[in-house]
Amino acid sequence: MEYKNIIVEKEDSVATVTLSRPKALNALNKEILLETLHCFQQLALETEIKAVIITGAGDKSFVAGADISAMQKFDILEAKAFATLGHKVLSTIENLPQPVIAAVNGFALGGGCEIAISCDMRIASANAKFGQPEVNLGVIPGFGGTQRLPRLVGKGLANELLFSGNIIDAEEACRIGLVNRVVEQDVLMDECRKLAKSIAAKGVEAVRFCKEAVNNGFEMDLKRACEYEVDLFALCFASEDQQEGMTAFLEKRRPEFGK
Ligand code: DAK
């Protein structure tokens, strides 16, 4: 599939996906959502890719939300189809076997904030702004914001953002746990690549099982979740990386995973 609204670059086992509709601050219409869905479905199959970064084109916006001009005339069925597509994209990102880092380089509003939340980790530039301003438009978040945001920052703080539509800056987003850390914009991509490469250098199954354990275990009661962890821990012992990691430790050398 040829992409018109996203750019995909691959280097050193790390894929960087840049959402690019600069004229609309990278707002999400059906086309960019379909391209993003296709892209992440492909990445899921690419075993040589071990970590993914998602960012927005330009230095002003990650994603300024769903495309308001596209949504304005939706009827009920079109709205449902659009929200369903958005959910599919975000759950594909969330469940991608590889870890996904959001490099939030500016506005992350509405659907943009929701994309960032569907990623495993978020690093923001100092100029980033976050919010769920849908109530200003007479709608609610349609891509999982009412569900993932409370799970990430807690119900009270999520409710404040969701009910007021307030926009917060990167420092405040970091304070409430919406982003992992804030860096200057000129080093944002370097920081994300550094993190992605450090993850890519680890045992691929171990990282994958960590992601599965956290994501799936989060929705279970603790007892069941711990049993689930036991199963995934045991499964690691079917991998060559377990042998290599432990042997390398005992031989006092660096492990060479994926050989
Ligand atoms: N959609 C379409 N175009 C957008 C856009 C958006 N979300 N955000 C910005 N743009 C466009 C602007 O219209 C403008 O286009 P031109 O006028 O130049 O043609 C261009 O990007 C530059 O924007 P501004 O001139 O406004 O730039 P400023 O720096 O002055 O302001 C801003 C930046 C991000 C503060 C402002 O653009 C803004 O407030 N944008 C809207 C932010 C927003 O409300 N985002 C949330 C969108 S709602 C659902 C499905 C999904 C959703 C809900 C329900 N169902 C189906 C039920 C999700 C909803 C959302 O995400």
Side-chain angles (χ1 to χ4, degrees):
M1 181 179 190
E2 195 182 320
Y3 301 134
K4 295 200 176 85
N5 301 281
I6 64 173
I7 301 157
V8 186
E9 296 158 295
K10 295 170 192 173
E11 194 191 333
D12 295 338
S13 306
V14 175
T16 301
V17 179
T18 304
L19 305 176
S20 181
R21 291 188 67 223
K23 285 186 188 148
L25 301 181
N26 310 322
L28 306 169
N29 60 10
K30 186 177 167 189
E31 288 69 36
I32 194 170
L33 286 172
L34 285 170
E35 290 181 11
T36 307
L37 178 61
H38 182 271
C39 170
F40 276 84
Q41 285 173 336
Q42 293 304 305
L43 289 173
L45 305 174
E46 294 183 23
T47 49
E48 67 280 11
I49 296 299
K50 305 217 172 94
V52 178
I53 300 168
I54 183 165
T55 193
D59 54 12
K60 187 173 169 182
S61 181
F62 175 69
V63 170
D67 191 311
I68 299 166
S69 55
M71 289 191 295
Q72 188 206 7
K73 298 269 189 247
F74 277 170
D75 61 26
I76 292 176
L77 291 179
E78 287 167 332
K80 186 161 185 189
F82 188 64
T84 303
L85 173 60
H87 272 272
K88 197 165 175 189
V89 174
L90 270 61
S91 90
T92 303
I93 294 174
E94 189 170 47
N95 295 306
L96 197 78
Q98 304 94 327
V100 185
I101 302 167
V104 184
N105 57 315
F107 293 113
L109 304 178
C113 189
E114 290 166 304
I115 287 194
I117 295 169
S118 73
C119 297
D120 300 298
M121 295 151 278
R122 288 149 289 281
I123 301 183
S125 57
N127 67 324
K129 299 260 189 294
F130 295 81
Q132 297 288 163
E134 285 86 348
V135 287
N136 296 326
L137 302 166
V139 293
I140 68 167
F143 296 166
T146 62
Q147 304 309 309
R148 290 193 183 90
L149 189 59
R151 283 167 167 78
L152 184 63
V153 303
K155 215 168 138 189
L157 288 163
N159 286 344
E160 187 173 337
L161 288 168
L162 292 163
F163 301 170
S164 70
N166 284 345
I167 308 295
I168 57 172
D169 64 19
E171 286 302 335
E172 177 67 359
C174 192
R175 196 185 65 76
I176 68 171
L178 180 47
V179 301
N180 295 28
R181 60 181 174 276
V182 182
V183 299
E184 290 306 318
Q185 184 153 42
D186 57 348
V187 298
L188 176 67
M189 292 314 292
D190 284 347
E191 283 288 321
C192 291
R193 277 189 212 106
K194 208 159 78 183
L195 176 59
K197 281 184 193 174
S198 79
I199 293 169
K202 303 298 186 291
V204 68
E205 276 93 4
V207 173
R208 183 175 295 205
F209 290 159
C210 275
K211 177 166 174 169
E212 280 185 35
V214 170
N215 279 359
N216 297 335
F218 212 78
E219 304 301 327
M220 298 173 189
D221 65 75
L222 186 60
K223 183 170 176 292
R224 172 80 195 94
C226 288
E227 288 163 3
Y228 181 58
E229 189 194 70
V230 167
D231 290 342
L232 290 175
F233 176 77
L235 269 186
C236 293
F237 286 74
S239 78
E240 289 178 8
D241 287 341
Q242 174 270 328
Q243 276 299 313
E244 169 60 11
M246 294 189 180
T247 306
F249 176 82
L250 295 172
E251 291 176 355
K252 300 189 188 304
R253 61 172 173 82
R254 288 172 78 88
E256 290 185 61
F257 292 119
K259 291 277 162 187

